[in-house]
Amino acid sequence: MEIPQDTNSVESLKNRLRHAYLEEQPERAQALLAELEGLVWEPEPENRQFLELYRVLLYEDRFSDGEALLRLENALSLTCRGQLPGVLSHEEILLMYHIAVCTDRTGRRDRAIGILEALADHYGSTPLTREEALRTQPMVLYSLSKYLGLSREYRRCIAVCDRGIALARESGCCGFLSRTLYNRGWALLQLGTTETRTAGMENLRQAYRLADLLESEGETEHILGFWESNFTEKL
């Protein structure tokens, strides 16, 4: 009988895969996933969940939104049934986040907002370390603000953006800051007053400057395109 791989080796591979994914290195992450799948180890629920999550994330083009949603929900059910636990693991947070994204893509935005609101509230009620929270919290707040804005909940969108902007300023974690500033500016413009128009334009300028500083070409092009379609003033 084959002897399971040492647990430390498995955990080391999992950590390396997490970092590769967070650092947007898909080829490296795929190689680590293949190495992890090749190990002989106990199929504990947490490990089965981990593998299924990253199979969907790293090979998303293989699945329709409905298929991805079903696989993600099944993976989450391996460790979460009914009420959420007091502390969610990093993988459970990612699963819930991507379940919300797939739910929105399948036409159920209200449910997606509910999932993201539950996650956003979870950060304030658990003993997650600041480092652990910062891996996912800015992303959750950005997407929640986006879905609220698209649902015409402009003031709620702005309030969530304010949380994301404050978090970035306190922590120095700016990965989603330009996009959150853009969402805030866009929502302010939708309110339609002279005051909110001026404030919204300033947020858009801030978003553009930050995206340009971070060399986020896709973001700068998007902001510039929106600006040129709506304003004659210089960005």
Side-chain angles (χ1 to χ4, degrees):
M1 183 178 72
E2 292 180 282
I3 299 173
Q5 187 75 19
D6 179 56
T7 303
N8 291 332
S9 299
V10 171
E11 290 304 317
S12 174
L13 273 176
K14 288 167 69 174
N15 283 328
R16 288 161 60 196
L17 198 161
R18 286 188 191 100
H19 287 298
Y21 177 76
L22 290 171
E23 292 168 6
E24 299 183 2
Q25 299 176 355
E27 292 183 1
R28 179 166 173 258
Q30 288 169 352
L32 290 166
L33 178 61
E35 187 176 350
L36 194 55
E37 288 176 322
L39 291 176
V40 180
W41 48 306
E42 289 296 323
E44 298 171 353
E46 291 81 3
N47 289 334
R48 288 162 53 203
Q49 181 182 82
F50 184 96
L51 288 174
E52 187 65 5
L53 167 63
Y54 285 99
R55 285 177 188 132
V56 174
L57 296 187
L58 295 172
Y59 296 99
E60 59 181 343
D61 57 330
R62 297 181 180 180
F63 310 106
S64 69
D65 291 327
E67 289 169 337
L69 178 58
L70 181 60
R71 295 181 76 118
L72 292 169
E73 287 178 333
N74 287 340
L76 183 63
S77 72
L78 291 169
T79 57
C80 292
R81 288 188 173 87
Q83 279 192 322
L84 293 180
V87 180
L88 290 168
S89 71
H90 178 70
E91 276 65 48
E92 288 166 340
I93 291 172
L94 279 183
L95 278 163
M96 288 185 65
Y97 173 80
H98 288 284
I99 285 170
V101 171
C102 288
T103 297
D104 179 73
R105 289 175 179 170
T106 55
R108 293 173 288 172
R109 181 159 292 153
D110 286 349
R111 181 170 183 264
I113 288 171
I115 294 169
L116 292 177
E117 284 181 326
L119 272 181
D121 292 342
H122 186 75
Y123 290 104
S125 61
T126 68
L128 285 173
T129 67
R130 190 169 186 78
E131 181 182 0
E132 289 170 333
L134 286 173
R135 292 175 185 169
T136 52
Q137 191 176 10
M139 172 179 72
V140 168
L141 294 175
Y142 158 73
S143 292
L144 176 56
S145 72
K146 175 182 175 181
Y147 293 160
L148 286 169
L150 292 173
S151 299
R152 300 185 179 182
E153 296 277 0
Y154 304 128
R155 295 192 184 280
R156 290 173 66 195
C157 168
I158 292 164
V160 173
C161 287
D162 287 343
R163 289 174 61 186
I165 293 165
L167 178 66
R169 288 174 175 165
E170 291 167 7
S171 66
C173 181
C174 297
F176 283 84
L177 181 55
S178 67
R179 280 171 277 185
T180 304
L181 284 164
Y182 173 85
N183 284 357
R184 189 179 195 277
W186 181 88
L188 283 165
L189 293 174
Q190 308 313 307
L191 293 176
T193 71
T194 301
E195 183 180 357
T196 58
R197 184 180 188 274
T198 300
M201 290 173 69
E202 178 57 26
N203 279 157
L204 292 177
R205 288 189 172 107
Q206 293 170 339
Y208 182 83
R209 289 195 294 267
L210 180 58
D212 186 50
L213 181 66
L214 297 176
E215 300 181 348
S216 301
E217 186 174 341
E219 289 180 41
T220 55
E221 289 179 356
H222 178 75
I223 298 166
L224 181 60
F226 177 80
W227 184 277
E228 291 178 342
S229 297
N230 291 274
F231 306 109
T232 57
E233 293 93 333
K234 185 178 178 180
L235 179 58

